[in-house]
Amino acid sequence: MPLMLLVAIAIVLLVACFVSLFWRLVSRFDAQQCTAEWLDSFSMKSYAPMERLLANSDLVFLASQPGYRPAIGKRFRAERRKIFRAYLRLLVRDFNQLIRIGKLMVVYSDRDQQEFARSLRRQQLKLYARVGALQVQLALYPLGWTSVDVSGLLGALGDMQAKVQQLASRPGPALAEWA
Amino acid sequence: MRQLPIEQQILLVTEIGALAILCTRMWVIGLHRAYLYFFGSLVLELLQSLIPILVPLDSRLYLDLYLASQLLITIFYALVVLELYSKVLRDLAGIARTARGYIKFTLVLAILIALLPLRLERAKTNLLGYLYFFEQTIMLTLVVFVLLVSVFLVYYPIPLGRNVIVYSMGYAVFFLTRAAVPLMINLGQNWARQLGTIAMTVSVACLILWIFALSRAGENKRVVVGHQWNPGDDQRLLAQLEAINTSLLRSGRK
């Protein structure tokens, strides 16, 4: 019976995988989100504040002010962390959008883009790993861990933008054949 | 047909009817040329379904005909899946090598996964046992293969016709049932009748799905937007891609 149960669980898992996959397959891509307007409005500069949001210097400055109490510092850190998380969500959303555009360009390209496709996947994995590590650092931030380095994360986003730009500058994707 | 339980007799008649309708429909709308192996497997299944009507179930001839036809159908299923995905991935120069590499990897992985439950099997005592074993392994390979290729199709915005999605959905359910039922019977449970009925019901349900959902219009490749297929999407997407390219080149020059 335990064997039968195991088989039944495996089947249920497979069914769940298929349901989720097919649901994603029919709703996998919203071309409306990939617009030139979005690209024009996208700028790395929007993320510049992230580099100093969690820096210790602001807290040190605050602590040196008259009337400072530890409760103020605690609230300050909580607010900064909240803002940082909001920036992080936006950054991941923008990164995913760049990935979507990159994939779209790969699929519609008239020449093989295996290297580019591979680097897209690599960049994606790297960024998710970095975001995971950053989430751990953020969780430790209230305990006094203030050495949160976002340069790698911003670098990954910048790299992705550069890669997509690089692909766009190569001679024409074969868009017409799908018309 | 006298040896089949009553519910299976009803399902068998329904299946024969559904197979005949689907074959006719595919022929009429011209899909038999696009999906040659799929059409071939349906014709073979139709012929196989007729065997219990023409030949007594307890005869040696029935067993031989069933074994031969089932072997052929199983091989056709594998060809059906390869036909489907080679059609989907054809003409996509940008991801040609990526897709080829992924398919090779997926095929090997699917075979390895399909061989895993073999240790659970009872020893085969007759030809039918070997056939079930062979069929189950092929079906499980196909289930895993369809699953992994679907992951690839979810990851890349490959333009898909509605038929391809409907066709894959039907086969995913169909293969899963065909892989699970022999495995459960092989595990020695005494639910052969119930499991057989479930397998036949799923088979009929898939046929009905294909009858209603496969169409000539569903062959047009579309990039899916939201949960609908809109004929204007292609043109809009092309315009968007061109605008994206221009925008990227412009920002690259800045």
Side-chain angles (χ1 to χ4, degrees):
Chain A
M1 198 58 190
L3 199 62
M4 203 64 170
L5 192 68
L6 210 66
V7 173
I9 291 170
I11 292 169
V12 169
L13 280 177
L14 269 173
V15 170
C17 283
F18 271 118
V19 170
S20 135
L21 268 175
F22 283 124
W23 178 253
R24 293 190 68 171
L25 201 59
V26 293
S27 60
R28 70 200 153 125
F29 176 67
D30 191 350
Q32 284 168 327
Q33 290 173 4
C34 297
T35 60
E37 290 76 33
W38 180 86
L39 266 173
D40 285 337
S41 66
F42 173 76
S43 167
M44 285 296 296
K45 285 178 193 153
S46 330
Y47 294 103
M50 276 182 97
E51 288 184 291
R52 43 178 288 268
L53 257 176
L54 301 180
N56 217 15
S57 53
D58 289 350
L59 195 64
V60 170
F61 172 75
L62 192 68
S64 68
Q65 297 305 302
Y68 173 82
R69 280 174 290 118
I72 296 175
K74 199 176 165 188
R75 206 175 73 195
F76 175 82
R77 268 204 294 262
E79 277 172 8
R80 284 291 174 104
R81 199 164 63 131
K82 205 169 134 191
I83 298 168
F84 188 87
R85 277 194 202 280
Y87 266 107
L88 193 59
R89 270 196 300 276
L90 283 177
L91 186 141
V92 172
R93 194 198 62 187
D94 282 349
F95 181 85
N96 285 338
Q97 182 75 342
L98 281 171
I99 288 275
R100 244 177 252 134
I101 292 172
K103 285 196 272 192
L104 203 63
M105 294 173 86
V106 165
V107 169
Y108 285 86
S109 174
D110 59 357
R111 62 189 62 192
D112 195 84
Q113 302 291 354
Q114 190 186 31
E115 278 312 308
F116 184 75
R118 195 175 287 159
S119 75
L120 277 185
R121 287 196 302 272
R122 218 175 287 142
Q123 288 285 340
Q124 211 172 356
L125 285 176
K126 257 191 213 165
L127 184 110
Y128 293 155
R130 280 198 175 115
V131 169
L134 208 59
Q135 293 285 10
V136 173
Q137 288 179 332
L138 275 179
L140 296 174
Y141 183 69
L143 304 173
W145 183 309
T146 50
S147 60
V148 178
D149 182 21
V150 291
S151 58
L153 202 65
L154 295 177
L157 186 66
D159 279 356
M160 183 48 63
Q161 188 192 17
K163 277 192 189 333
V164 174
Q165 246 159 18
Q166 199 185 338
L167 188 66
S169 62
R170 289 177 201 165
L175 304 175
E177 67 183 271
W178 299 104
Chain B
M1 262 171 69
R2 63 185 185 282
Q3 284 183 353
L4 280 178
I6 181 71
E7 70 279 7
Q8 291 189 10
Q9 286 184 34
I10 296 168
L11 284 167
L12 181 64
V13 172
T14 317
E15 191 176 352
I16 293 171
L19 275 166
I21 294 170
L22 184 57
C23 287
T24 315
R25 185 167 158 72
M26 284 192 74
W27 185 275
V28 170
I29 60 178
L31 285 183
H32 66 290
R33 277 191 294 269
Y35 301 102
L36 199 63
Y37 290 117
F38 178 51
F39 183 72
S41 73
L42 291 174
V43 171
L44 277 173
E45 282 208 58
L46 181 61
L47 293 175
Q48 192 193 44
S49 310
L50 295 173
I51 301 174
I53 297 172
L54 305 170
V55 183
L57 275 176
D58 48 4
S59 67
R60 174 77 204 181
L61 180 65
Y62 171 78
L63 185 67
D64 290 344
L65 284 172
Y66 176 78
L67 286 173
S69 59
Q70 195 55 34
L71 192 68
L72 204 60
I73 288 171
T74 308
I75 292 167
F76 257 76
Y77 287 149
L79 295 171
V80 161
V81 172
L82 294 175
E83 174 186 64
L84 174 67
Y85 293 116
S86 62
K87 200 173 153 63
V88 168
L89 300 170
R90 198 179 53 199
D91 303 330
L92 293 170
I95 52 161
R97 273 199 299 161
T98 308
R100 266 202 304 275
Y102 186 80
I103 295 283
K104 275 182 204 161
F105 161 78
T106 299
L107 209 54
V108 173
L109 189 66
I111 292 169
L112 289 177
I113 292 174
L115 291 174
L116 283 179
L118 294 189
R119 292 176 67 90
L120 309 175
E121 306 267 332
R122 287 183 302 178
K124 277 95 206 147
T125 50
N126 55 21
L127 209 55
L128 200 63
Y130 281 103
L131 177 77
Y132 277 143
F133 156 77
F134 173 73
E135 189 186 343
Q136 176 205 311
T137 311
I138 297 281
M139 292 298 166
L140 198 53
T141 304
L142 295 177
V143 169
V144 179
F145 185 74
V146 171
L147 187 84
L148 295 175
V149 175
S150 302
V151 171
F152 187 82
L153 297 179
V154 167
Y155 186 77
Y156 285 107
I158 294 167
L160 296 175
R162 195 181 61 174
N163 280 353
V164 168
I165 295 176
V166 170
Y167 193 46
S168 310
M169 278 181 186
Y171 263 120
V173 176
F174 182 77
F175 290 145
L176 190 58
T177 316
R178 286 288 174 102
V181 167
L183 178 66
M184 287 185 156
I185 293 173
N186 277 337
L187 283 177
Q189 298 298 322
N190 298 320
W191 301 333
R193 179 173 168 178
Q194 291 87 338
L195 290 170
T197 307
I198 291 172
M200 287 178 87
T201 310
V202 169
S203 189
V204 170
C206 289
L207 291 170
I208 292 171
L209 168 79
W210 288 326
I211 289 171
F212 286 104
L214 293 176
S215 65
R216 197 180 290 159
E219 274 304 280
N220 298 332
K221 282 183 175 177
R222 303 246 180 276
V223 172
V224 181
V225 179
H227 289 271
Q228 56 188 337
W229 285 265
N230 182 344
D233 290 339
D234 281 355
Q235 291 304 325
R236 192 169 48 74
L237 178 67
L238 283 176
Q240 273 178 229
L241 278 167
E242 271 156 18
I244 285 168
N245 243 12
T246 316
S247 167
L248 282 167
L249 288 172
R250 200 170 47 232
S251 59
R253 278 194 291 267
K254 273 178 198 170

